[in-house]
Amino acid sequence: MLTVLDRDANIVELVSSPSTNHVEGTTADSITQSNIKDILPEDAYKNIRKNMEQVFRSGKSAIARHDLMIDGVPHHYEHWLSLLDKEYLLCMCRDVSQLLETDRLMPNNKMKLCGSIH
């Protein structure tokens, strides 16, 4: 998912195919102009909001994680936030559940979770 968020965590623009939309029961069109606080569980919202505040404060991109249940199955997401200007952020979000499971099963694996982001 690619999302443009404003300072108040409103979704200004959203690009997501049905396979990458991870807000259960929604479509990209149905949640554009919504506030993420109203569509995400509280703990996921708090993680994203904390990351947003850090990016606005520092002016530097940052990566954090949040978890969501999709069809009763826990999924782990990584969200990368980057400042577009003083009012807007770009958020790239991806499901990293399989990477975390691989890391759990192969603890000596040298691959880092964020290593594939360039």
Side-chain angles (χ1 to χ4, degrees):
M1 289 180 80
L2 291 175
T3 309
V4 175
L5 300 167
D6 68 13
R7 280 191 175 268
D8 295 323
N10 294 306
I11 299 171
V12 176
E13 294 289 338
L14 175 65
V15 177
S16 178
S17 73
S19 65
T20 62
N21 180 10
H22 55 266
V23 181
E24 196 167 37
T26 67
T27 64
D29 288 339
S30 74
I31 60 175
T32 301
Q33 306 305 316
S34 298
N35 190 290
I36 62 171
K37 185 176 187 176
D38 299 329
I39 59 175
L40 292 176
E42 185 177 358
D43 56 336
Y45 167 75
K46 285 181 178 180
N47 287 347
I48 294 170
R49 188 65 195 191
K50 182 179 176 182
N51 199 19
M52 287 178 64
E53 290 169 9
Q54 176 186 337
V55 172
F56 276 120
R57 190 173 40 256
S58 71
K60 296 181 180 179
S61 298
I63 297 172
R65 279 197 32 227
H66 63 278
D67 301 318
L68 295 173
M69 293 294 281
I70 306 291
D71 296 326
V73 178
H75 286 260
H76 310 287
Y77 294 91
E78 177 180 82
H79 59 271
W80 171 80
L81 295 173
S82 183
L83 201 59
L84 292 174
D85 63 24
K86 64 181 184 172
E87 295 299 319
Y88 298 99
L89 296 171
L90 175 65
C91 178
M92 289 192 326
C93 193
R94 68 182 184 144
D95 189 333
V96 294
S97 301
Q98 289 180 336
L99 291 173
L100 292 175
E101 182 63 14
T102 299
D103 199 41
R104 185 185 72 78
L105 294 173
M106 301 174 63
N108 294 326
N109 188 354
K110 302 288 184 201
M111 183 177 91
K112 296 295 180 193
L113 183 60
C114 298
S116 60
I117 295 179
H118 298 284

